[in-house]
Amino acid sequence: LEEAKLNTRTDEIRLVNGIKKLSKFLKKKHFILIESDAKPLDLLKIIQSINLKNVGLNYDIGNSAGNKYNFNLEKKYFKHVKNIHLKDKDAKQKSVRLGNGNADFKNIFRYLKKIKYKGTFGMQAARSKYDFHLAEINTNFKFLRKYL
């Protein structure tokens, strides 16, 4: 899905209508979360068009950093964010160890504290280059502790 794009207004309308139809099948307290690489103001327009309490956004820190999106523009849709992917990407859009890419974790976590973010997080950090995945997870958790 990382290559899925909304190329036309028709694509956006189809997405909005499809999600509205799908949301009717949700049980109470269940959500549909959208993760998109749409530009921040375009994504805001999409989620406002959907306008349902059981449809929110998944914010991917690394993808936003990789796309060089302005976090001040992304803040405009943050009231719709229900989950955040903890990921970092370098200038070549490659996933890297948390803190080694372009993601501005300090600014993001400062904002999350300011708005008293109550959603969930999912670790999506890069895998270990040498199959030492548990050690890599520990390294990433140590990095995150300074922000939690």
Side-chain angles (χ1 to χ4, degrees):
L1 287 176
E2 290 209 7
E3 297 300 318
K5 300 263 187 227
L6 298 175
N7 295 313
T8 66
R9 178 73 179 127
T10 303
D11 291 343
E12 287 181 23
I13 292 168
R14 201 174 306 143
L15 173 70
V16 169
N17 290 338
I19 289 176
K20 284 182 175 183
K21 287 178 186 176
L22 187 60
S23 72
K24 293 176 184 177
F25 296 101
L26 294 175
K27 295 179 181 179
K28 284 185 180 180
K29 298 186 181 183
H30 289 187
F31 285 87
I32 295 172
L33 297 181
I34 300 167
E35 180 176 343
S36 173
D37 67 352
K39 292 177 182 171
L41 296 180
D42 293 340
L43 185 54
L44 177 62
K45 185 174 76 173
I46 290 168
I47 196 67
Q48 287 174 334
S49 294
I50 294 169
N51 194 30
L52 295 170
K53 290 182 181 181
N54 60 353
V55 178
L57 297 173
N58 179 79
Y59 178 70
D60 191 306
I61 295 173
N63 290 351
S64 288
N67 285 318
K68 298 179 176 77
Y69 288 153
N70 180 325
F71 186 62
N72 287 322
L73 291 177
E74 292 177 317
K75 289 176 184 178
K76 293 177 185 285
Y77 61 66
F78 246 80
K79 71 177 183 179
H80 303 283
V81 172
K82 307 290 185 208
N83 184 66
I84 296 174
H85 283 170
L86 302 168
K87 180 167 52 178
D88 206 350
K89 284 192 174 182
D90 64 16
K92 296 178 184 175
Q93 293 260 4
K94 185 178 180 217
S95 289
V96 295
R97 177 181 285 169
L98 299 183
N100 288 357
N102 294 326
D104 185 358
F105 286 94
K106 183 178 180 180
N107 188 31
I108 292 167
F109 275 94
R110 184 182 301 135
Y111 180 70
L112 294 177
K113 286 179 184 177
K114 179 181 174 183
I115 65 168
K116 298 179 175 142
Y117 175 73
K118 300 284 188 222
T120 58
F121 294 92
M123 177 78 80
Q124 257 197 355
R127 293 177 180 254
S128 167
K129 293 179 185 177
Y130 307 105
D131 290 331
F132 298 121
H133 301 300
L134 191 54
E136 189 67 22
I137 291 169
N138 274 333
T139 300
N140 285 309
F141 272 122
K142 284 178 188 173
F143 171 79
L144 289 171
R145 277 192 195 111
K146 60 185 158 188
Y147 300 110
L148 302 176

